[in-house]
Each structure stands twice: as structure tokens, then as C-alpha cells.
Amino acid sequence: MKEIDKIAFIEIQNGQILSTRSKGKTTYYIPGGKHETGESDEQTLIREVSEELSVDIIPNSSEYVGTFTAQSDGAKENINVIMTCYTATYTGALKASSEIEEIKWLNYKDLNIISEVDKKIFSFLKERGELK
């Protein structure tokens, strides 16, 4: 089984979670992405959030939320995505950038428009009382 290792940025406000939709796509994803060679989780988080959301993560402000695994969307069977999630403090105003077409605040009722691994994350956050 092949695995795709990704880092995700969890930002919750008023019971809703920040999600993004890439250009040409219909599914929403929690912002983040893959490590580049030699990057730590925090370095990946800082780079990906800057590229996708035009804000700067404050170094050493990230906190681990959890790691979740599911079948990768749009991939062949037996390809799983492993999403390691962090919250973090940032500076700047959120704005779609790079390959991101839209930023949207979602809640638990939006399960039909998100990826499989995000469904697991949404459920976890709902059980903790953080997501409406």
C-alpha cells in the first residue's frame, strides 16, 4: 500500500473550519500539503500556509491536533493519505493564493463536499465540541 504524507493547518473560528478549494476542483480540503525534502512538519506547515493562504505562521506556535488516514481522493485503490494536523498562530489576512481558488468556512454539515480524510478530521473535531 502506498502512502502520501501530508501536513494540514487546522483553523477553527465560531465552530467552523477553514477549508480551501483548488482551481478546477469541486472538493474542499483543509489547507496544507506535502513535505519537501528535509523539511520538518513545522517548516512544511509554514511554507504551505504561506503559499496557499498568504499569511505567515509564527514559528514555534504550532500545536499537534492528531493524525488521520483515509483513501486518497482521486487516487487508485490502496493509496492512503496520512494527514498530520496542527493549529498555529498566524499574522496577516487570509487570502486565496497560488493554486487555491476559494477559501470557505465549513461546518459538520458540509461532509458531502470534502475529502475522505477531512471527513475523519471533521468528525474528530465535532466529537471534541470544536465544530458545529
Side-chain angles (χ1 to χ4, degrees), residues 37-75:
T37 304
E39 277 185 333
S40 67
D41 284 2
E42 183 179 65
Q43 289 167 328
T44 301
L45 184 71
I46 289 170
R47 178 183 51 77
E48 286 287 346
V49 168
S50 176
E51 288 174 3
E52 295 182 359
L53 303 173
S54 304
V55 296
D56 295 315
I57 296 288
I58 296 171
N60 302 313
S61 71
S62 61
E63 293 185 26
Y64 177 76
V65 173
T67 302
F68 305 86
T69 304
Q71 169 67 33
S72 180
D73 283 2

Side-chain angles (χ1 to χ4, degrees), residues 9-114:
F9 174 55
I10 305 294
E11 175 66 9
I12 298 173
Q13 294 180 12
N14 303 315
Q16 296 184 307
I17 187 168
L18 179 69
S19 293
T20 58
R21 183 176 54 79
S22 297
K23 293 176 181 171
K25 304 282 185 183
T26 56
T27 302
Y28 288 84
Y29 298 90
I30 295 171
K34 299 176 192 171
H35 291 95
E36 287 186 354
T37 304
E39 277 185 333
S40 67
D41 284 2
E42 183 179 65
Q43 289 167 328
T44 301
L45 184 71
I46 289 170
R47 178 183 51 77
E48 286 287 346
V49 168
S50 176
E51 288 174 3
E52 295 182 359
L53 303 173
S54 304
V55 296
D56 295 315
I57 296 288
I58 296 171
N60 302 313
S61 71
S62 61
E63 293 185 26
Y64 177 76
V65 173
T67 302
F68 305 86
T69 304
Q71 169 67 33
S72 180
D73 283 2
K76 295 176 185 173
E77 287 293 318
N78 296 321
I79 299 178
N80 282 347
V81 62
I82 300 170
M83 192 83 76
T84 304
C85 302
Y86 295 90
T87 60
T89 305
Y90 63 89
T91 60
L94 295 167
K95 183 182 117 193
S97 180
S98 187
E99 74 271 9
I100 303 303
E101 186 167 336
E102 181 184 10
I103 293 173
K104 190 170 185 173
W105 294 93
L106 302 179
N107 57 44
Y108 192 71
K109 70 174 177 54
D110 295 310
L111 293 179
N112 61 323
I113 60 171
I114 62 174

